[in-house]
Amino acid sequence: MRKIKFLLWGFLGILTFFWVIAATWPETFSLLSTRSVMINFTGVLGVGAMSFTIILALRPVWLESWLDGLDKSYRLHKWLGITALVMSVMHWLSGNAPKWATSLGLLERPERGPRPDESALPTLQQWFNTQRDTAEFIGEWTFYVIVLLIALALIKRFPYRLFTKTHTLLAAAYLAIVFHSVMLMEYNYWQQIVGVVSGLLMAAGTIAAALILMGRIGRNRKVAGTIEHIDLFPELSIMETSIRLDDGWRGHQGGQFAFVTFDSKEGAHPFTIGSGWTPKDPCINFITKGLGDYTNLMIKNLKVGDKVTVEGPYGRFIFSDGKKRQIWIGGGIGITPFIARMKQIAHKPEDHAIDLFHAIPFEDPKAIQKLTADAKTANVQLHMLVDGRDDRLTGEQLRTEIPDWKEASVWFCGPAKFGESLKKDLIANGLKDRDFHQELFNMR
């Protein structure tokens, strides 16, 4: 999270600095005199944040190493989107509030001076000026569309299948905003660094938006496959699906995830991979729990022989921090990346001392038997915590049971608040922040 905040505020801070250098400041400050200043400032930050957001929507793998995974990139994508929304609202208010105040008699209507002679202006600037009315019209109506689409994206109850479709429309709306921004940006900005940076961001964003609209997100990372086996755990509402992949899969590491399309109408959903990888046996497993409408339907509707598409792998929850001592904590379905890692270690043993804590609502003999066998094969010390029988795992309990915990790295996957509580306790007692790794489940 620290890297996400650093990149977010650093990006906005640099754009602000470049704008301050280029800005023209009024001699006296008033609501009317600062109107154009605020319009320009919010416009630069708004289109900049929106451009970065669109670029991140392409799922750039090159950024994963720096941000610690695509799940972190999506969190940055979310906050940049919110920033773009806030800046857009402020931009809209900056343009309209003085007009409303004047119409209500709260401000005196400013006297209009003589229209400047545009004949001496550069030809390109003259053409830009002829497009102002069109650009303002497109910008205002696109603003209403963007507010609606971002609001829908932030409403968790809005169905995921509809979210993915409506979210794609933001790429088209972005192209309209680029036209609006290019035509209305202060002309002198284009000769300064703020204009150069904004132009590069909009150019990259335009390419990204075009790729999104053409359906090319992750296209070179998609592989077809066929469901080969389904194993059900009815008491836990869990299903393990084994998929035999066609040629083209790049291989994966335990702890990564993929976007899987089981139904073209539903679209791709992110699922953590629940198996290791051996090229000789190109199968990949996904362990899913019925937590919503779609995952519940999956358990009922999927069958052996169904065709699927798998896109990936993504993520940096891959246990490669150089620590020989590790502590794993999996809450509920958050056990999946640890199962994959144990299967990977079984194929290629490693010299690690590992303790795995797994919290479950109740004991399911079949699931426990499989997990125990995986742990034994990987030489992992398993600690099962059952609700109603054992106390909830706390930082104090973990520190008591693992005396050398300060020498370990901690890998957590499960409910966010549970992870935050453990992290706060362990860091307060001496664990380094960089040694606590947590995957962010929420992708929107």
Side-chain angles (χ1 to χ4, degrees):
M1 292 297 289
R2 184 172 296 179
K3 288 183 178 179
I4 296 174
K5 293 177 181 178
F6 176 79
L7 189 52
L8 173 64
W9 291 112
F11 174 75
L12 296 176
I14 290 172
L15 265 186
T16 298
F17 175 71
F18 291 157
W19 172 80
V20 168
I21 294 174
T24 302
W25 303 94
E27 295 181 3
T28 58
F29 285 88
S30 65
L31 181 60
L32 288 175
S33 65
T34 57
R35 176 176 179 264
S36 63
V37 174
M38 285 302 297
I39 287 175
N40 291 328
F41 172 64
T42 54
V44 167
L45 258 64
V47 76
M50 199 176 298
S51 298
F52 201 171
T53 304
I54 291 290
I55 294 168
L56 288 176
L58 287 179
R59 302 173 189 157
V61 178
W62 57 268
L63 196 57
E64 284 199 81
S65 296
W66 199 83
L67 280 176
D68 296 330
L70 186 64
D71 55 323
K72 312 301 190 301
S73 296
Y74 266 69
R75 186 59 57 90
L76 177 60
H77 170 90
K78 174 181 177 179
W79 284 108
L80 281 167
I82 292 173
T83 300
L85 175 62
V86 171
M87 288 296 115
S88 297
V89 171
M90 292 177 63
H91 185 76
W92 180 73
L93 288 174
S94 298
N96 289 289
K99 298 178 184 178
W100 299 335
T102 301
S103 65
L104 293 172
L106 300 177
L107 287 176
E108 291 186 9
R109 189 178 300 277
E111 294 184 6
R112 293 184 178 274
R115 294 180 63 86
D117 181 13
E118 295 189 356
S119 60
L121 298 177
T123 303
L124 182 60
Q125 185 176 1
Q126 292 183 45
W127 183 76
F128 278 5
N129 288 344
T130 64
Q131 304 300 310
R132 292 190 67 86
D133 290 344
T134 302
E136 288 176 355
F137 176 81
I138 289 176
E140 180 171 4
W141 285 99
T142 303
F143 162 75
Y144 301 138
V145 172
I146 287 175
V147 169
L148 174 62
L149 293 177
I150 294 181
L152 290 176
L154 295 173
I155 298 173
K156 299 295 179 63
R157 292 188 177 184
F158 188 61
Y160 186 86
R161 67 182 183 279
L162 298 179
F163 156 75
T164 56
K165 292 178 175 61
T166 57
H167 212 54
T168 301
L169 296 176
L170 279 169
Y174 169 77
L175 296 176
I177 289 298
V178 167
F179 172 77
H180 170 85
S181 300
V182 169
M183 293 300 111
L184 298 181
M185 184 179 288
E186 286 288 323
Y187 190 77
N188 68 299
Y189 285 6
W190 294 113
Q191 302 169 41
Q192 302 186 58
I193 191 167
V194 67
V196 174
V197 172
S198 296
L200 290 174
L201 283 169
M202 286 189 280
T206 298
I207 294 171
L211 292 173
I212 291 169
L213 292 171
M214 289 188 292
R216 297 186 65 87
I217 295 180
R219 186 164 183 172
N220 63 344
R221 304 180 72 84
K222 292 181 180 179
V223 177
T226 306
I227 296 178
E228 190 172 71
H229 179 72
I230 294 175
D231 198 4
L232 296 175
F233 301 82
E235 296 297 322
L236 296 173
S237 296
I238 285 176
M239 175 176 65
E240 183 173 7
T241 308
S242 179
I243 299 169
R244 180 163 294 277
L245 297 174
D246 296 347
D247 293 339
W249 185 250
R250 300 163 184 256
H252 63 269
Q253 299 183 59
Q256 292 189 293
F257 68 93
F259 289 87
V260 187
T261 303
F262 291 105
D263 180 351
S264 59
K265 294 180 180 179
E266 180 68 27
H269 282 250
F271 296 108
T272 302
I273 299 169
S275 60
W277 174 251
T278 54
K280 294 180 181 179
D281 184 25
C283 284
I284 188 170
N285 289 7
F286 293 96
I287 302 172
T288 54
K289 183 176 177 62
L291 295 172
D293 293 341
Y294 179 63
T295 46
N296 282 324
L297 286 174
M298 281 175 56
I299 293 176
K300 296 177 181 179
N301 295 338
L302 291 189
K303 60 185 181 298
V304 172
D306 284 353
K307 300 296 182 181
V308 303
T309 301
V310 182
E311 177 198 331
Y314 295 105
R316 300 295 297 173
F317 195 80
I318 54 177
F319 309 93
S320 59
D321 60 356
K323 292 275 188 175
K324 295 295 184 181
R325 185 73 173 94
Q326 295 185 347
I327 300 169
W328 301 350
I329 305 165
I333 197 62
I335 192 63
T336 305
F338 304 111
I339 292 175
R341 178 62 173 170
M342 288 190 292
K343 291 183 182 297
Q344 182 177 322
I345 294 174
H347 285 295
K348 188 178 180 181
E350 298 179 358
D351 183 22
H352 284 78
I354 302 169
D355 281 79
L356 168 60
F357 292 83
H358 179 41
I360 55 175
F362 54 86
E363 294 182 275
D364 182 284
K366 181 180 175 182
I368 291 176
Q369 182 180 9
K370 292 191 69 171
L371 184 61
T372 302
D374 286 336
K376 184 177 180 180
T377 305
N379 195 28
V380 170
Q381 183 64 43
L382 179 62
H383 307 260
M384 297 292 298
L385 302 172
V386 183
D387 291 352
R389 187 194 73 184
D390 304 297
D391 293 333
R392 180 185 176 91
L393 180 65
T394 63
E396 181 180 3
Q397 179 186 347
L398 190 149
R399 288 184 279 110
T400 300
E401 293 200 27
I402 312 294
D404 61 345
W405 64 274
K406 284 187 179 181
E407 301 173 15
S409 60
V410 179
W411 297 78
F412 176 89
C413 188
K417 291 184 179 179
F418 181 23
E420 290 166 6
S421 174
L422 289 173
K423 180 179 181 179
K424 183 178 180 180
D425 178 280
L426 295 175
I427 290 177
N429 283 281
L431 186 73
K432 295 178 181 178
D433 182 76
R434 67 173 180 268
D435 288 334
F436 192 98
H437 307 269
Q438 182 174 359
E439 190 165 54
L440 303 178
F441 269 107
N442 195 348
M443 301 294 283
R444 57 179 288 197

